Amino acid sequence: MAAVVTDHVRRAWQMVAWYVNGVTGQSRYTSYVAHERERHPEREPLSEREFWRAHYAQQDTDPGARCC
């Protein structure tokens, strides 16, 4: 019985973590690394810090539909 409860709690925690990563954008870096490894295995992916710097620089250059 305790194992079933533990399994449900673990699954719920994973779902919350998945949601939070999506909302905060953390999943963008994970998706980028997966894409780079699959499509461009010869290239070293950017570090997380480099990725976010490039991402924000791109947003500043082309704000698109942002309000400000």
Side-chain angles (χ1 to χ4, degrees):
M1 180 70 174
V4 172
V5 171
T6 303
D7 188 47
H8 288 303
V9 170
R10 185 171 31 82
R11 277 195 205 153
W13 178 253
Q14 288 171 340
M15 290 170 56
V16 167
W18 173 83
Y19 177 77
V20 169
N21 284 334
V23 168
T24 62
Q26 180 61 30
S27 61
R28 287 182 187 172
Y29 179 70
T30 305
S31 297
Y32 157 76
V33 171
H35 168 83
E36 286 294 306
R37 290 196 173 137
E38 180 182 326
R39 304 281 183 165
H40 311 284
E42 72 283 355
R43 291 195 306 211
E44 182 70 24
L46 297 174
S47 70
E48 188 169 0
R49 183 179 213 160
E50 293 168 330
F51 170 81
W52 286 113
R53 282 185 178 166
H55 177 75
Y56 292 132
Q58 174 63 30
Q59 280 186 333
D60 289 343
T61 302
D62 182 23
R66 287 190 328 192
C67 65
C68 19

